[in-house]
Amino acid sequence: MTHPVDVHVGKRIRHRRWLVGMTQQQLAEQVGIKFQQIQKYETGANRVSASRLWDISDALEVPVSFFFDGLQEEGTGPSEKAEGPDDLMGDKEALDLVRSYYAIPENQRRRLFELARVLSDAA
């Protein structure tokens, strides 16, 4: 039986790996395990140990806390979102947009962000 937190952490690993354009094989090599283990982590079939999560966070260049973002403080399920799709990170279009956004040089990205904020305020 999979635990909801393990499933959530696995999804966050998969989405971050996808965002940085890394394959399961590449992540596994950086962490020193087989890619099948990454598959099991990403589905929540296997629980990620603290030390392994530390290695994965280093390979994906995010803090360990990244993998727990979106969980309720006192529960085990994902927190409610006020706007947007129920699973924004599961939306391929949103992930494509985020990946493209981070491919833009930082100074241009800031201007694009401000434009998007102005447009969303006007809507």
Side-chain angles (χ1 to χ4, degrees), residues 101 104-118:
Y101 175 79
I104 299 170
E106 187 174 356
N107 61 339
Q108 293 174 349
R109 194 170 63 225
R110 290 278 170 221
R111 292 190 302 192
L112 179 60
F113 179 79
E114 291 303 321
L115 173 63
R117 179 175 280 166
V118 169

Side-chain angles (χ1 to χ4, degrees), residues 60-71:
L60 296 175
E61 300 178 349
V62 291
V64 172
S65 62
F66 168 86
F67 301 108
F68 299 97
D69 288 348
L71 287 175

Side-chain angles (χ1 to χ4, degrees), residues 51-121:
S51 58
R52 182 77 71 219
L53 193 59
W54 182 271
D55 293 340
I56 291 170
S57 72
D58 186 48
L60 296 175
E61 300 178 349
V62 291
V64 172
S65 62
F66 168 86
F67 301 108
F68 299 97
D69 288 348
L71 287 175
Q72 296 174 354
E73 288 294 320
E74 305 240 351
T76 57
S79 61
E80 299 285 326
K81 294 199 173 41
E83 298 177 18
D86 289 340
D87 184 12
L88 185 61
M89 295 304 289
D91 182 359
K92 184 167 178 3
E93 183 181 16
L95 289 173
D96 284 340
L97 180 62
V98 170
R99 181 184 274 171
S100 298
Y101 175 79
Y102 281 107
I104 299 170
E106 187 174 356
N107 61 339
Q108 293 174 349
R109 194 170 63 225
R110 290 278 170 221
R111 292 190 302 192
L112 179 60
F113 179 79
E114 291 303 321
L115 173 63
R117 179 175 280 166
V118 169
L119 290 173
S120 70
D121 289 343

Side-chain angles (χ1 to χ4, degrees), residues 12 16 24 29 35-36 39 41 48 53 55 71 75 85 87 102 109 115:
R12 299 287 289 172
R16 177 63 184 175
Q24 289 178 335
E29 287 171 3
F35 81 92
Q36 292 92 337
Q39 288 176 327
Y41 290 155
V48 185
L53 193 59
D55 293 340
L71 287 175
D87 184 12
Y102 281 107
R109 194 170 63 225
L115 173 63

